[in-house]
Amino acid sequence: MNQPMSTEPVTESHWQDWLAWAAETGVEVPDTPVFARARAAVWDGSEFVALEVQRHPEMFAELLASGDLFRAYGPGDLDRALTRALAEVDDEQALARALRLFRRREQVRIVWRDLSGEGALEEVLEDLSELADCCIRQALGKLQDWTRAELGVPCDAEGRALEMVVLAMGKLGARELNLSSDIDLIFAFPERGEVRDGPRALSNEQFFTRLGQRLVQALGQQTVDGFVFRVDTRLRPFGESGPLAMCFDAMEDYYQSQAREWERYAMIKARAVCGDAEDIAQLEAMLRPFVYRRYLDFGAIESLRELKRLIAKELYRRGMDANIKLGPGGIREIEFIGQAFQLVRGGRDAELQIRPIREVLALLGERELLPPEAVRELDDAYCFLRRVENRLQAWRDRQTHTLPEDEAARERMARAMGFADWASFAPVLAAHRERVQHHFDEVFAPPSGEDEPADHEHEDELAALWRGEYEREQALALLAESGFASPESALVHIDAFRDTIERKVSRRGSERLAQLMPLALPIVAASEHADLALERVLRLLEAVARRTSYLAMLVEHPCILSQLARLAGMSPWFTDRLSRQPLLLDEMIDPRRLYDPLRREGLDEELDVLLGPVDPEDLEQQMERLRQFAQGNMLRVAAADLTGVIPLMVVSDYLTEIAEATVTRVLELTLTHLQARHGRPTAIPGEGSGFLVLGYGKLGGIELGYGSDLDLVFVHASDSMTAMTDGEREISNEQFYARLGQRMIHMLTTRTPSGTLYEVDMRLRPDGGKGMLVRSIGAFAAYQDKDAWTWEHQALVRARPVAGDPELARRFAEVRRGILCRRRDPEQLRRDVREMRAKMRANLDRSGDGRFDLKQGPGGIADIEFMVQYAVLRWAADHPELADWTDNVRLLDTLARIDLLPGDTAENLAEAYKVLRAAYHRSALQEQPKTIADDQLLAERARVRALWCELMEECG
């Protein structure tokens, strides 16, 4: 450790006393420069160690002899040492003394390793936390046995003996305890009930209250031997006025209905130190929804901002700017930054539900929620400030966070931190605190642009308009000046929205809207289609107004309003989708992400993040996460589509990949679930699952649109009617695959709070709706060979594997190619295709009343698809490359290349197909029926009709 050699005269005299004792008793003192430097640094930085060594010389001699001063502890070392120390303890007085002597020895050791530089910060915090954990666990173990012997055994209704669960809060909960910290504890027990086998009637609450009191006394009471840890139990429900120990049900009632906002922050670090494992799991599951909301809770930022404001006000009143924990740029601000992101996002990202702040910061960096530089600076500052905190407390083993004022103490602090003097130390400390305060202000800055006076003035005017304070003519003039083309219509919408919303929202909601509307109105007014955007944005706000967290999100992130106004003016699809699923607002926070939709690899990675933390048996949460995934990614595709970031013809590629990733993950989750119960099917070729999902229609043709359903067919590889699964609860392969298909459909189609994943159509399977849900590949091939209609072979043109067993996919490809490349009678084929098209048009064509059905109308998309399918079935026998593709564009390219259609037919069909598909996508985003005005795209439609006539009708 590089620091000046200097020691306090008083502490040095304590060392001389110990040396004299060592000489008298024959204790050998290490005689090395390394030991001398370390000893001098420790005695210079800790009067506590110097005094304890002088008063208890044999303790220090034992530390030297054991070598514990010079080595890092391994897992379990402290626990085993305390077990030995408490082996002969048989009453509370002996327990109190043994615990205090043990703590004294370990505290001297930890301070030595900290100040000498032999123990890194991580080691010091871990050892202090482990010391507290061990003392709590073993003291409680002794006290519980003695209390049961005296009072009886607390039991639940079934007679199970109950144990107390001790929750560690704050720094101990996160295993970040500092050198002289209080420990914050909450005591809980599983059930109300009565104590059994005791001398008198006693409730469980009375028992555990008494046990808690004894634990607090054993750890915290000051005796001639000092204390173990000061214990603070005021973080429990109702604080000091509440019961010392509370049953789980009562705790749940409290946290659901009466807990204050700051108690959520406190619970982030809560950790069970001891108790029955199943009881702990039950308590944690109960507390989790209180801390981590299922939605994005941006209201937490305002609450933390207010809490910090109150702390700062109190520190200013007391003149405590020198407090490195609570003062500006202090440890608490770093913790608040991490907690803000945890509270906002932890409900949706379970990996953020962690306690240590350094791990939180690292994860925020990985998630790109904080810039890398901010993460590095905050982590560096945290380590520096925690070392300062430990050195402040190491001097006299007292809990303090205030920098010294007298010169001698300042110089001593600087030396303990490795600096030559205070003058060189203070600027480094100040720089760390300034950086922390900067990043804190970046996260918690009020959302409005306070540095723009002109905007503020305009916001004030719009705030007054929102409150209804202007006369009609003044309001219209302001709206016109703001950029609305029709101020009269805008005012009608605003007034109607205000009147409606006043009856719906709480006081808190009204406050949020009072903040939001002056921000929202100028942003909407500045958008390209302001009047349309206003109507649609207000409709969205009305839908989410009762959930004030979403209003808070918009206040905290005006960038969402900017993107929302832009996209809402282009399409009602966004606001309608967001009104139904406001969780998707999160997708609009980062414009880089919003307009950069993911491809397949990125989609799979996002699914790993979303589903990784979910319990494999939690079907409801799996379905929720899958829906959030699919809807969020569709939103990003639509945003990139409307703004021209991605070409229109690849929109379907993106939407198809979202569906493929989703179906693949649904299959994986379903397989895992069923295999855990029944084992794997046997007698299956290869190492795969023996199950294949086939995509037909738009999914198979890589042509999905917004809101498209999925045409699916399931096949399996089991050819044996008697083969069984290999698990303890065996079932036949047929049953296994049938249940697999049923559960997949359930996961895809069941409506949850986030809606459905996809509508699924299984009618293209062999025998349609009357057929088996899952067939063997052999049965599928036989059906296609002998029983399928021409239209089913047409459907097969667009069929391809989208998820499942690769070996089975290869076998399916062989079956498909064999069927498509079969030689057919051209005239019979033409009649069959033409008749099926006529039936479809008769049943599905919505043309009329001046509108043209883009899909089913004469000269529409379906005509092109049928011509392509006819061409494949007619010529694939001689040109097997026509069986290579499932999408119309590449099939038309192949037909053009091998010159099978007359003239420029293939090129003309491809061009018309792209134009019609573009119109189809646009109508979907405008939430209009898939029709256009009769006078639109006349040339393309006429060209398609002419080509149909030439190819399918042999006209003229």
Side-chain angles (χ1 to χ4, degrees):
M1 183 174 181
N2 298 320
Q3 66 174 36
M5 290 294 295
S6 177
T7 53
E8 292 279 329
V10 175
T11 58
E12 188 62 23
S13 70
H14 298 328
W15 176 241
Q16 295 304 319
D17 291 344
W18 187 86
L19 286 177
W21 175 87
E24 288 178 12
T25 54
V27 171
E28 185 176 349
V29 183
D31 185 20
T32 67
V34 173
F35 176 80
R37 282 194 299 271
R39 201 282 311 166
V42 175
W43 260 245
D44 185 42
S46 179
E47 185 182 62
F48 158 74
V49 170
L51 280 171
E52 292 301 317
V53 169
Q54 181 204 41
R55 292 169 180 168
H56 310 285
E58 70 289 343
M59 173 199 66
F60 189 65
E62 187 272 329
L63 276 169
L64 287 172
S66 67
D68 286 352
L69 280 181
F70 313 114
R71 73 176 183 93
Y73 281 165
D77 282 356
L78 267 169
D79 200 47
R80 287 187 289 272
L82 182 56
T83 299
R84 291 192 296 271
L86 301 184
E88 304 299 323
V89 165
D90 56 7
D91 61 33
E92 289 184 62
Q93 185 175 353
L95 174 66
R97 177 168 173 75
L99 287 170
R100 282 153 180 76
L101 297 183
F102 185 78
R103 187 265 184 185
R104 177 193 299 156
R105 177 193 190 274
E106 297 307 324
Q107 190 79 350
V108 166
R109 174 191 168 275
I110 292 169
V111 173
W112 172 284
R113 291 188 59 75
D114 186 20
L115 295 181
S116 69
E118 293 188 34
L121 177 66
E122 295 84 358
E123 177 193 317
V124 171
L125 302 185
E126 175 61 24
D127 281 0
L128 288 164
S129 302
E130 178 67 4
L131 175 61
D133 277 11
C134 292
C135 290
I136 294 168
R137 278 197 303 266
Q138 297 206 29
L140 182 62
K142 296 279 187 185
L143 292 168
Q144 182 166 265
D145 290 345
W146 298 336
T147 307
R148 284 180 174 181
E150 176 188 342
L151 302 177
V153 180
C155 296
D156 64 12
E158 286 73 41
R160 177 176 70 101
L162 300 181
E163 298 178 13
M164 187 161 74
V165 176
V166 178
L167 288 180
M169 311 292 285
K171 286 191 168 68
L172 178 57
R175 292 188 74 89
E176 298 167 338
L177 204 62
N178 47 280
L179 270 174
S180 188
S181 178
D182 294 355
I183 56 174
D184 297 296
L185 303 180
I186 294 177
F187 303 139
F189 58 96
E191 282 189 29
R192 294 183 178 91
E194 300 298 320
V195 171
R196 301 188 182 187
D197 304 325
R200 60 185 182 279
L202 206 65
S203 69
N204 287 351
E205 181 177 337
Q206 290 172 308
F207 177 94
F208 286 114
T209 298
R210 179 65 182 132
L211 180 58
Q213 290 168 340
R214 286 178 167 176
L215 180 61
V216 171
Q217 186 173 0
L219 297 173
Q221 186 177 42
Q222 186 79 31
T223 72
V224 292
D225 297 308
F227 61 90
V228 188
F229 288 97
R230 293 175 292 270
V231 179
D232 191 338
T233 61
R234 292 175 296 174
L235 292 181
R236 68 187 187 268
F238 301 108
E240 289 182 284
S241 62
L244 184 63
M246 185 177 279
C247 74
F248 290 1
D249 284 349
M251 288 183 75
E252 184 172 27
D253 289 343
Y254 173 81
Y255 286 116
Q256 284 183 351
S257 61
Q258 301 188 57
R260 291 149 292 180
E261 194 67 22
W262 66 262
E263 290 177 277
R264 286 184 64 203
Y265 323 143
M267 274 293 167
I268 286 176
K269 295 190 176 184
R271 175 177 60 87
V273 174
C274 46
D276 177 80
E278 290 187 6
D279 292 339
I280 290 171
Q282 179 187 348
L283 182 59
E284 288 176 343
M286 181 198 81
L287 292 172
R288 195 172 295 117
F290 164 67
V291 182
Y292 298 107
R293 307 292 162 82
R294 296 180 70 175
Y295 50 85
L296 289 166
D297 186 12
F298 281 89
I301 292 182
E302 176 59 32
S303 300
L304 281 168
R305 187 186 290 134
E306 179 60 25
L307 182 58
K308 176 60 183 171
R309 194 178 296 127
L310 294 173
I311 292 172
K313 182 178 178 181
E314 181 66 12
L315 290 174
Y316 178 79
R317 187 180 68 79
R318 296 186 185 181
M320 292 174 63
D321 279 0
N323 189 304
I324 62 160
K325 177 181 178 182
L326 301 177
I331 295 168
R332 181 58 55 82
E333 288 192 354
I334 300 173
E335 293 174 334
F336 272 16
I337 290 170
Q339 287 173 329
F341 286 99
Q342 286 181 283
L343 290 173
V344 169
R345 298 178 177 277
R348 291 187 64 187
D349 186 350
E351 290 189 20
L352 279 170
Q353 297 177 18
I354 53 179
R355 303 178 185 94
I357 185 59
R358 295 185 68 192
E359 292 181 22
V360 173
L361 292 173
L363 189 57
L364 294 176
E366 290 176 20
R367 294 284 194 274
E368 297 184 355
L369 295 170
L370 281 178
E373 182 184 11
V375 172
R376 179 180 56 77
E377 290 182 351
L378 289 169
D379 187 71
D380 289 348
Y382 180 78
C383 293
F384 190 88
L385 292 169
R386 290 304 307 270
R387 290 176 62 231
V388 171
E389 178 185 47
N390 279 346
R391 279 148 181 73
L392 286 171
Q393 297 178 1
W395 178 240
R396 286 181 175 163
D397 192 22
R398 291 180 184 170
Q399 188 178 34
T400 179
H401 300 91
T402 304
L403 294 168
E405 295 183 356
D406 67 280
E407 185 176 346
R410 286 185 165 189
E411 296 301 320
R412 182 176 63 243
M413 165 59 69
R415 292 194 299 272
M417 287 295 295
F419 290 83
D421 51 32
W422 181 263
S424 57
F425 163 72
V428 177
L429 173 63
H432 279 300
R433 295 184 69 178
E434 286 170 10
R435 285 191 284 269
V436 171
Q437 193 163 17
H438 166 74
H439 293 303
F440 180 86
D441 291 342
E442 285 285 303
V443 173
F444 289 94
S448 58
E450 295 181 358
D451 56 342
E452 300 175 10
D455 286 349
H456 260 308
E457 182 179 346
H458 192 50
E459 283 178 17
D460 290 343
E461 292 174 341
L462 289 168
L465 182 145
W466 166 247
R467 293 191 296 269
E469 296 175 2
Y470 285 156
E471 296 293 331
R472 175 179 167 79
E473 293 307 316
Q474 288 178 293
L476 291 174
L478 178 59
L479 289 170
E481 178 189 339
S482 298
F484 289 101
S486 175
E488 295 85 358
S489 175
L491 184 60
V492 168
H493 287 308
I494 293 169
D495 288 344
F497 173 68
R498 183 177 55 243
D499 293 343
T500 301
I501 218 70
E502 283 177 353
R503 299 190 297 271
K504 286 187 174 182
V505 300
S506 63
R507 180 184 59 80
R508 185 60 174 248
S510 296
E511 292 171 357
R512 293 271 192 236
L513 281 168
Q515 291 177 285
L516 174 62
M517 294 309 294
L519 295 174
L521 290 174
I523 289 173
V524 172
S527 64
E528 187 175 356
H529 307 286
D531 297 79
L532 270 177
L534 177 67
E535 179 183 356
R536 293 166 181 171
V537 169
L538 290 179
R539 196 158 58 233
L540 168 63
L541 294 180
E542 182 178 345
V544 304
R546 290 183 179 177
R547 301 288 291 273
T548 59
S549 61
Y550 292 121
L551 300 180
M553 178 194 292
L554 295 171
V555 170
E556 295 293 339
H557 292 278
C559 63
I560 298 179
L561 289 169
S562 299
Q563 305 310 321
L564 191 58
R566 179 188 186 192
L567 295 169
M570 294 178 173
S571 164
W573 186 90
F574 285 91
T575 46
D576 289 350
R577 182 63 60 97
L578 291 166
S579 296
R580 294 194 297 270
Q581 303 300 335
L583 277 172
L584 297 177
L585 284 167
D586 179 43
E587 298 292 340
M588 307 186 77
I589 290 175
D590 184 354
R592 295 168 302 175
R593 173 181 163 87
L594 176 62
Y595 299 106
D596 186 21
L598 299 174
R599 298 311 298 251
R600 181 59 188 270
E601 184 178 353
L603 293 168
D604 288 336
E605 290 173 357
E606 185 172 295
L607 277 169
D608 290 340
V609 171
L610 280 170
L611 292 168
V614 177
D615 185 332
E617 294 302 311
D618 191 346
L619 177 62
E620 179 183 358
Q621 193 57 225
Q622 287 173 347
M623 291 196 298
E624 275 293 293
R625 297 291 178 98
L626 285 164
R627 281 149 181 75
Q628 292 164 15
F629 161 80
Q631 292 163 1
N633 280 288
M634 285 182 204
L635 188 86
R636 290 155 67 179
V637 172
D641 176 11
L642 271 180
T643 54
V645 173
I646 57 175
L648 183 67
M649 288 314 297
V650 303
V651 168
S652 287
D653 295 3
Y654 282 96
L655 295 174
T656 300
E657 287 183 359
I658 293 168
E660 288 176 355
T662 302
V663 171
T664 299
R665 195 56 58 103
V666 168
L667 173 57
E668 291 172 1
L669 293 170
T670 306
L671 269 172
T672 300
H673 171 80
L674 288 173
Q675 286 175 352
R677 281 157 177 72
H678 305 295
R680 295 169 57 86
T682 60
I684 300 298
E687 300 297 320
S689 64
F691 188 86
L692 188 66
V693 181
L694 302 174
Y696 274 64
K698 291 178 182 175
L699 175 60
I702 318 175
E703 294 164 355
L704 280 186
Y706 302 103
S708 293
D709 60 7
L710 304 184
D711 293 302
L712 301 180
V713 171
F714 300 146
V715 295
H716 66 75
S718 179
D719 293 321
S720 169
M721 297 297 292
T722 59
M724 307 291 285
T725 61
D726 61 8
E728 289 185 12
R729 296 165 58 189
E730 67 175 14
I731 56 176
S732 71
N733 286 2
E734 290 281 346
Q735 286 178 294
F736 181 91
Y737 289 126
R739 291 182 186 181
L740 180 58
Q742 290 164 353
R743 189 175 175 91
M744 282 191 69
I745 293 171
H746 175 77
M747 290 188 72
L748 289 165
T749 62
T750 297
R751 183 166 295 279
T752 74
S754 292
T756 58
L757 251 181
Y758 289 96
E759 296 296 332
V760 172
D761 191 338
M762 301 292 298
R763 290 175 297 175
L764 290 177
R765 68 187 187 269
D767 291 322
K770 300 175 183 177
M772 296 172 61
L773 184 65
V774 188
R775 287 207 183 193
S776 72
I777 188 67
F780 177 87
Y783 178 87
Q784 293 291 341
D785 183 44
K786 296 184 175 64
D787 300 322
W789 296 83
T790 299
W791 69 263
E792 291 177 284
H793 288 172
Q794 288 180 245
L796 196 62
V797 170
R798 290 159 66 81
R800 66 185 178 88
V802 294
D805 188 331
E807 172 62 22
L808 189 53
R810 187 189 61 77
R811 293 174 64 189
F812 165 76
E814 293 174 356
V815 171
R816 175 179 176 272
R817 182 172 291 275
I819 296 297
L820 296 186
C821 294
R822 175 183 295 174
R823 198 167 296 281
R824 293 171 172 85
D825 176 0
E827 291 308 314
Q828 183 61 47
L829 176 64
R830 182 186 286 119
R831 280 194 299 274
D832 289 347
V833 173
R834 195 168 56 224
E835 288 171 7
M836 177 52 65
R837 181 70 192 103
K839 288 179 183 178
M840 183 181 287
R841 182 179 292 123
N843 288 315
L844 300 176
D845 187 3
R846 299 291 179 263
S847 301
D849 296 325
R851 307 292 295 177
F852 171 76
D853 188 325
L854 284 162
K855 174 84 172 178
Q856 300 295 341
I861 293 171
D863 282 354
I864 300 174
E865 292 173 344
F866 269 60
M867 282 188 275
V868 170
Q869 292 158 18
Y870 164 76
V872 171
L873 295 177
R874 176 171 177 177
W875 287 302
D878 296 319
H879 299 279
E881 61 266 43
L882 285 170
D884 290 347
W885 309 112
T886 61
D887 61 288
N888 288 306
V889 172
R890 281 185 291 190
L891 284 170
L892 285 166
D893 287 344
T894 305
L895 287 167
R897 179 167 50 79
I898 57 183
D899 200 22
L900 291 174
L901 297 177
D904 296 330
T905 299
E907 291 87 345
N908 288 334
L909 283 174
E911 187 59 37
Y913 181 72
K914 292 174 183 177
V915 172
L916 292 165
R917 280 276 308 284
Y920 196 82
H921 275 312
R922 287 287 174 264
S923 67
L925 284 178
Q926 295 305 321
E927 301 229 315
Q928 297 171 346
K930 308 301 189 297
T931 62
I932 55 174
D934 253 342
D935 59 357
Q936 292 182 312
L937 304 183
L938 292 175
E940 288 81 5
R941 291 154 50 192
R943 189 179 306 131
V944 173
R945 286 198 305 272
L947 292 171
W948 175 273
C949 189
E950 182 178 352
L951 185 65
M952 305 303 296
E953 308 281 357
E954 295 187 342
C955 302

